[in-house]
Amino acid sequence: MAVTRLTDIIEPATFTGYTLQETMQKTALVRAGVAVRNNVIAEQLKAGSHSFTVPFWRDLEDDEANIVNDDPDTHSTPKKIGSGKQMVRKSYLHQSWSAMNLASEIAGDDALAKIQSRVVAYWDRQLQKRLVASLRGIMADNIANFAGDMVLDISAGTGAAGVFGAEAVIDATGTLGDSMSNLVSIAMHSDIYRRALKNDLIEFIPDSQGGTIATFRGLATVVDDGLPVTEGAYTCALFGAGAVGYGTAEPSIADGTEVENLPSAGRGGGQQILHSRANVGMHPAGFTWVETTVADESPSLAELALPANWSRVVERKAVPLAFLIARAE
């Protein structure tokens, strides 16, 4: 019985482009408008180095305006605009999957063809995991160094006072002061989402692709069980539009997609391995990466979650991000 080989159905360059494009389109935070493509990040991913700097302009200070007069010898003193920089860390990522040709022969189906169809979903989950890990590090840094001015923790409250609800979300957005209306999305654990559903706090609206988007009081809702849970206390993250900049690129030297054939494996039955590679940059606005603890060439999920690797470089209200820690019941 003939079996279609993966090398017969895949064109590596085309598949790499498809994987990078589709992965970001399918990521829930992208569809919610939280993560937006940043052309600077995308271009820098094609260059060498482990990280790069993105400069930014600070907002004008709210100094009181001058009171004008008619004295020609009295001159105004011009103010200046401040600037800053954010260090963005690159990640060089790879994953591979293999199958024995004999297994596909016996099954009557090509195992690696099935693997190929799931590569986009795999990278979608990986990028979201890396963003959640970064959020853990940012929140821990905020608690340690900024008195938790981005975090509302009600989990120790008695009864309903410690449970997730609409009032708690409003109070968490209040940590942004008069910028609270800039928030557009909320990420929550499935246990919290289930409670919100029971309390009729979730509404569904149609999206541009013919599906639906879950919303919580107008905020696009992302459900991710990778969000922190500690002794019954669940962390929710609230985002403003463009809270995260991202870029993806295929490697400049190695192939983004590569099929490896090992004809002698399985005593000659053969083995096929699908390699998938991606250079990724995902960076929350208002923070800089601090290269404190990274054991390998790119930070792991555990290292992204270390507070020592992050530092806030703008005032609180300029960060389109807030955290709520509450119980599910």
Side-chain angles (χ1 to χ4, degrees):
M1 179 178 64
V3 175
T4 301
R5 302 286 296 279
L6 191 62
T7 48
D8 296 327
I9 63 175
I10 186 171
E11 183 180 342
T14 300
F15 183 65
T16 297
Y18 164 80
T19 299
L20 294 178
Q21 179 181 4
E22 287 295 304
T23 293
M24 295 316 301
Q25 287 182 350
K26 290 179 179 297
T27 299
L29 291 172
V30 174
R31 291 191 289 116
V34 170
V36 296
R37 178 178 171 82
N38 184 297
N39 290 330
V40 174
I41 294 177
E43 287 300 317
Q44 287 292 333
L45 287 173
K46 301 175 183 178
S49 79
H50 291 88
S51 58
F52 58 93
T53 299
V54 178
F56 66 91
W57 294 111
R58 300 184 186 277
D59 200 358
L60 300 180
E61 296 291 340
D62 285 331
D63 300 299
E64 183 179 356
N66 295 320
I67 305 299
V68 300
N69 60 37
D70 60 355
D71 184 351
D73 295 324
T74 303
H75 299 274
S76 64
T77 302
K79 305 295 183 181
K80 65 179 181 178
I81 188 170
S83 64
K85 60 183 180 180
Q86 301 175 68
M87 187 71 72
V88 179
R89 188 56 158 88
K90 300 179 184 179
S91 293
Y92 301 96
L93 307 177
H94 162 271
Q95 190 54 274
S96 61
W97 303 267
S98 73
M100 300 302 293
N101 292 339
L102 180 61
S104 294
E105 292 276 3
I106 295 173
D109 195 11
D110 192 330
L112 272 186
K114 180 63 176 179
I115 291 172
Q116 175 197 355
S117 71
R118 299 301 301 161
V119 170
V120 167
Y122 168 80
W123 284 118
D124 175 20
R125 295 191 301 270
Q126 285 298 305
L127 295 184
Q128 196 140 309
K129 284 177 181 293
R130 296 185 73 80
L131 176 55
V132 169
S134 299
L135 295 176
R136 294 175 71 117
I138 285 170
M139 186 177 73
D141 168 71
N142 181 254
I143 293 173
N145 298 308
F146 293 91
D149 62 358
M150 297 170 53
V151 182
L152 175 66
D153 187 350
I154 65 169
S155 61
T158 302
V163 176
F164 176 90
E167 289 190 8
V169 172
I170 292 172
D171 288 339
T173 64
T175 63
L176 278 141
D178 55 12
S179 296
M180 62 188 297
S181 61
N182 295 338
L183 296 178
V184 298
S185 179
I186 180 170
M188 61 181 68
H189 190 280
S190 61
D191 289 347
I192 295 291
Y193 180 70
R194 186 166 60 250
R195 175 177 176 79
L197 280 173
K198 290 178 179 178
N199 290 340
D200 293 327
L201 295 174
I202 301 295
E203 295 183 355
F204 296 90
I205 61 174
D207 64 12
S208 60
Q209 300 178 2
T212 58
I213 297 176
T215 64
F216 176 89
R217 296 180 61 85
L219 300 173
T221 304
V222 176
V223 182
D224 193 317
D225 284 348
L227 289 163
V229 182
T230 304
E231 297 180 354
Y234 294 78
T235 297
C236 303
L238 296 111
F239 304 92
V244 179
Y246 76 85
T248 55
E250 62 180 296
S252 300
I253 305 301
D255 292 328
T257 301
E258 189 171 354
V259 179
E260 180 182 4
N261 285 307
L262 301 175
S264 64
R267 290 183 179 175
Q271 179 184 15
Q272 292 188 94
I273 304 172
L274 173 64
H275 295 270
S276 183
R277 304 181 181 95
N279 296 349
V280 175
M282 296 193 76
H283 191 80
F287 297 86
T288 191
W289 174 262
V290 183
E291 191 82 7
T292 302
T293 304
V294 178
D296 218 325
E297 296 301 319
S298 298
S300 64
L301 292 175
E303 289 165 343
L304 288 172
L306 292 175
N309 281 331
W310 296 98
S311 180
R312 196 172 82 197
V313 293
V314 297
E315 65 173 324
R316 166 65 190 107
K317 291 198 296 183
V319 179
L321 181 64
F323 297 98
L324 169 64
I325 303 175
R327 301 194 311 275
E329 54 186 18

